[in-house]
Amino acid sequence: MANRLIVTGGAGFIGSAVVRNIIRNTPDTVCVVDKLTYAGNLESLSEVSGDPRYRFERADICDRAALDRIFADFRPTHVMHLAAESHVDRSIDGPGEFIQTNIVGTYTMLEAARKFFNTLDDAGKAAFRFHHISTDEVYGDLEGPGDFFRETTPYAPSSPYSASKASSDHLVRAWKRTFGLPTLVTNCSNNYGPYHFPEKLIPLVILHALDGKELPIYGEGLQIRDWLYVEDHARALYLVATRGVPGETYNIGGHNEKKNIEVVRKICALLDELRPRADGRSYAEQIVHVKDRPGHDLRYAIDADKIARELGWKPQESFESGIRKTVEWYLAHRDDWCAHVLSGEYKMERLGTGD
């Protein structure tokens, strides 16, 4: 039987990739629940929005009445909870929104799911899953070059963002133990790929480079991240939601550790090849180093052996193939999706969805 999945934050970067993957590759029906904050963009779902198995509900995950209505009406078999505030710099400037969305919002989702779960018969309860999508940033950072984040790594969040996500992870696990809600948690490494909001490193560098702007790098750019192509992540998330074991945690990584400065230089090299500057000089000349942000973690790296061993997932994209696809996508969509985001035009799509 086909599944019925609620995907919160489904108009965001990772959420929209999840929805596109489900509609393209499965017989399942999806209900996207998204508040459409600055990072929510319905253009990222235009490819699937005409499919009869796609449904959109504009709602705040902190609005319990709206959630109760959606659960009762849609009657999901699975919940994939991605809605979150996720930008570290924004969390430093204004942590309150992160506490509200990531902690209170997750609590509200859990309670709405629990109420619905308790209305199900035994077969419905056996099938139901609540999948909470989190981040590797809850673990803090790593000291030695041979260390990796594992599902058993103690939490040590460094920023208001990662602390709020750590709190939400704990809530999800508590609702499993205390109330018997069948929950799963995944913690992922840094995502990149098409439809990424341009405040994040990779799309910011691509678009700034093309516009002739400076390419700001925190400190010396020696921070190391494990990069995961977003469509690989979307496949992993669906596997966990539909085949994962309730109560378990699965780490999802790309097996691609890179220093930030290496990532930026790679993007510059690809742009030099694919869209050379008119003056013949390298985009790398636009790199500038700026003061590091407070509490900046030095290294993240995921041990993804468990999901490979138990669910058979491995990333299909190397960093080389994934970053080329990403740069090519931004070049192809600079005048439509990117231009609409940078101008704010994409927000016009919110008219008629509840404003």
Side-chain angles (χ1 to χ4, degrees), residues 184-330:
L184 306 109
V185 176
T186 51
N187 299 88
C188 69
S189 58
N190 281 40
N191 280 224
Y192 70 101
Y195 301 102
H196 205 175
F197 195 80
E199 68 183 357
K200 300 298 180 80
L201 176 67
I202 287 177
L204 180 101
V205 167
I206 296 169
L207 297 176
H208 273 208
L210 293 170
D211 290 339
K213 298 178 180 178
E214 292 182 341
L215 308 180
I217 305 296
Y218 279 129
E220 295 302 312
L222 301 180
Q223 302 87 0
I224 297 171
R225 300 293 182 263
D226 174 19
W227 292 95
L228 173 64
Y229 192 63
V230 68
E231 293 185 10
D232 279 333
H233 189 199
R235 289 188 305 104
L237 293 179
Y238 182 78
L239 270 177
V240 171
T242 57
R243 290 174 44 196
V245 177
E248 292 293 321
T249 298
Y250 300 88
N251 280 351
I252 307 170
H255 307 300
N256 292 303
E257 287 187 59
K258 301 288 180 185
K259 295 183 178 71
N260 284 349
I261 190 64
E262 292 179 307
V263 172
V264 174
R265 291 193 179 279
K266 179 61 179 179
I267 292 169
C268 290
L270 284 168
L271 290 173
D272 289 341
E273 172 195 341
L274 299 170
R275 190 67 55 84
R277 279 177 33 164
D279 60 8
R281 300 168 73 175
S282 174
Y283 288 98
E285 295 185 20
Q286 295 167 222
I287 294 173
V288 297
H289 294 270
V290 299
K291 182 180 178 181
D292 209 351
R293 71 179 176 213
H296 202 170
D297 292 330
L298 181 58
R299 176 174 172 258
Y300 302 154
I302 285 274
D303 178 349
D305 285 349
K306 179 178 178 178
I307 190 173
R309 183 176 64 253
E310 297 187 7
L311 300 181
W313 175 88
K314 291 184 179 179
Q316 294 178 354
E317 301 293 342
S318 67
F319 185 74
E320 293 294 321
S321 64
I323 195 64
R324 179 175 286 274
K325 286 183 177 182
T326 301
V327 171
E328 289 174 343
W329 187 90
Y330 277 92

Side-chain angles (χ1 to χ4, degrees), residues 74-107:
F74 184 71
R75 301 194 65 78
T77 57
H78 298 72
V79 176
M80 299 180 73
H81 177 42
L82 294 100
E85 295 287 346
S86 65
H87 193 235
V88 174
D89 287 349
R90 286 179 183 261
S91 81
I92 295 170
D93 294 337
E97 289 186 22
F98 289 73
I99 303 304
Q100 184 68 17
T101 299
N102 298 353
I103 301 177
V104 177
T106 298
Y107 158 74

Side-chain angles (χ1 to χ4, degrees), residues 5 8 24 81 101 103 106 108 111 124 153 163 221 248 254 280 306 351:
L5 300 100
T8 70
R24 283 177 194 152
H81 177 42
T101 299
I103 301 177
T106 298
T108 309
E111 283 293 86
T153 299
E248 292 293 321
K306 179 178 178 178
L351 300 176

Side-chain angles (χ1 to χ4, degrees), residues 21-144:
N21 174 65
I22 294 171
I23 297 297
R24 283 177 194 152
N25 300 313
T26 80
D28 297 348
T29 298
V30 178
C31 177
V32 170
V33 176
D34 201 298
K35 185 181 177 180
L36 293 181
T37 60
Y38 75 94
N41 187 347
L42 291 177
E43 285 190 31
S44 302
L45 292 166
S46 59
E47 172 189 323
V48 299
S49 60
D51 194 289
R53 294 177 295 117
Y54 165 88
R55 169 175 165 180
F56 176 74
E57 291 276 357
R58 185 172 187 184
D60 186 340
I61 59 169
C62 295
D63 184 343
R64 177 63 188 276
L67 295 180
D68 284 345
R69 174 185 61 79
I70 292 166
F71 271 88
D73 182 37
F74 184 71
R75 301 194 65 78
T77 57
H78 298 72
V79 176
M80 299 180 73
H81 177 42
L82 294 100
E85 295 287 346
S86 65
H87 193 235
V88 174
D89 287 349
R90 286 179 183 261
S91 81
I92 295 170
D93 294 337
E97 289 186 22
F98 289 73
I99 303 304
Q100 184 68 17
T101 299
N102 298 353
I103 301 177
V104 177
T106 298
Y107 158 74
T108 309
M109 280 294 302
L110 287 165
E111 283 293 86
R114 182 165 73 98
K115 177 183 177 182
F116 173 74
F117 178 75
N118 287 336
T119 69
L120 300 174
D121 59 20
D122 289 345
K125 287 180 177 177
F128 187 83
R129 299 290 184 269
F130 186 104
H131 176 195
H132 175 63
I133 289 83
S134 189
T135 172
D136 61 357
E137 295 191 39
V138 298
Y139 300 124
D141 58 3
L142 294 163
E143 295 183 2

